[in-house]
Amino acid sequence: MNHLQKAADLLLNAEYLIVLTGAGISKESNVPTFRGKDGLWKQYNAMDLATPQAFSQDPQLVWEWYTWRQKLIATCIPNPAHHTLANWEKNGTLKSLITQNVDGLHRKAGSTKVIEVHGDIWTLKCTRCSFHSRKTEPAEGIPTCPTCNANLRPDVVWFGESLPSMIMDQIFVELQKADTILVIGTSALVQPAASFPLLVKRQGGRILEVNIEETPLTFAADVHLSGKAGEILPQLDQLL
Ligand code: BJW
Ligand code: ZN
């Protein structure tokens, strides 16, 4: 049996299928990934940009990077992989979708059961008070809080920051229920998200991986489908 058919059989037999996505699923929508040869970290040092320390030292630089990404993401549209997952939610195949992406493309494709573990690039939060706001226009300069005048920052999770406890609670409920997890387009290097599939595996569940490369998770995968998410997901859909 070929790998695609084996993956389709696992999906057909799944009682509670969840998905974990990473930057690779949005690559074919022209959102750059983080790592790899065209990754965002190739041009910028992660530790200069995606830490709370970097933001307190140079908020201007960090905002320039986020404004550049907001402008780019504003022009991007979901690809066939996002659309396939949205359809699977509608027809009941998929129970929930955990994404590390901040680009909002799963919601744009019509998915509603989305857990954004690293936040949302369009939501801003105050560095001092509890002010939050969501806008769809790229930020200009360093936005400040209308309540207390402190700097606003993107409501995303940076290195060294914990994922919000409400999000972690939601994730653990889903991981406990899951008997199959489909992992798409993540390098599986960043914790804690990289461990979510292993938690499903540890309770007897299955891991299916879709990626153009092998990752540290491939050894644990029941099926690894090598290729672009935007091509493989519609092919899988045809077999269901
Ligand atoms: C395709 C494709 C196509 C391409 N089709 N596929 C040791 C153990 C445990 C933890 C740590 C540790 N050392 C350090 C830590 C902590 C740290 C961590 O994991 N560091 C590692 C790098 C070592 N983690 C944290 O700090 C996290 N918090 C935490 O642990 O809290 C507890 C704690 C608190 C305080 C002290 C100590 C512990 C928070 C992590 C936050 C990550 N944030 C970012 C930025 C988000 C905001 C933003 O977007 O600006 O999240 S970093 C960046 O990486 C982003 C991504 O969501 C995340 C994951 O990247 P992803 O999605 O996997 O993308 P890539 O680019 O890496 O991979 C793309 C993949 O797609 C590749 O595999 C390609 O092959 C593939 N691909 N095209 C299919 N067409
Ligand atoms: Zn404030």
Side-chain angles (χ1 to χ4, degrees):
M1 192 191 300
N2 71 30
H3 283 195
L4 201 64
Q5 187 60 55
K6 187 174 173 198
D9 286 352
L10 288 179
L11 293 180
L12 285 166
N13 287 322
E15 285 188 2
Y16 201 97
L17 170 69
I18 64 172
V19 172
L20 171 68
T21 65
I25 196 169
S26 295
K27 182 75 204 286
E28 291 152 84
S29 296
N30 296 322
V31 181
T33 58
F34 290 89
R35 298 162 190 86
K37 66 176 170 49
D38 305 318
L40 287 166
W41 300 145
K42 283 278 173 199
Q43 301 144 52
Y44 301 92
N45 180 344
M47 294 306 162
D48 286 344
L49 298 163
T51 67
Q53 294 78 7
F55 188 74
S56 8
Q57 271 164 30
D58 196 343
Q60 175 85 30
L61 175 71
V62 174
W63 261 118
E64 274 170 24
W65 189 55
Y66 277 94
T67 304
W68 171 73
R69 287 174 61 204
Q70 284 179 330
K71 285 183 178 158
L72 195 147
I73 286 168
T75 67
C76 296
I77 56 169
N79 67 55
H82 297 103
H83 288 301
T84 302
L85 295 179
N87 287 337
W88 287 358
E89 179 190 313
K90 282 193 194 83
N91 69 22
T93 303
L94 172 61
K95 302 295 186 273
S96 73
L97 200 173
I98 301 170
T99 186
Q100 298 168 82
N101 300 343
V102 299
D103 59 31
L105 290 184
H106 286 300
R107 290 188 195 278
K108 251 191 188 172
S111 290
T112 62
K113 294 177 180 164
V114 184
I115 307 175
E116 292 167 319
V117 296
H118 291 159
D120 166 20
I121 200 164
W122 297 107
T123 302
L124 310 186
K125 67 176 179 184
C126 181
T127 50
R128 187 183 298 149
C129 74
S130 60
F131 177 82
H132 274 77
S133 72
R134 192 171 193 281
K135 33 193 288 174
T136 44
E137 297 275 296
E140 278 177 32
I142 306 173
T144 50
C145 177
T147 309
C148 76
N149 212 35
N151 287 343
L152 296 179
R153 56 163 278 185
D155 190 8
V156 298
V157 181
W158 284 328
F159 287 117
E161 294 183 317
S162 301
L163 277 57
S165 57
M166 260 174 53
I167 296 277
M168 286 305 286
D169 291 348
Q170 271 178 278
I171 290 167
F172 281 118
V173 169
E174 293 306 314
L175 293 175
Q176 272 166 10
K177 289 191 202 162
D179 65 350
T180 309
I181 183 163
L182 171 60
V183 184
I184 308 170
T186 176
S187 58
L189 292 171
V190 175
Q191 299 294 346
S195 300
F196 297 159
L198 299 174
L199 297 177
V200 173
K201 183 92 182 173
R202 199 176 300 159
Q203 67 199 15
R206 312 273 197 182
I207 300 176
L208 277 73
E209 183 179 52
V210 176
N211 201 301
I212 54 170
E213 292 174 354
E214 294 202 349
T215 74
L217 202 63
T218 308
F219 82 96
D222 294 273
V223 189
H224 170 89
L225 296 175
S226 178
K228 293 182 177 178
E231 293 170 5
I232 290 193
L233 269 283
Q235 287 170 20
L236 262 180
D237 187 51
Q238 291 284 308
L239 297 175
L240 300 186

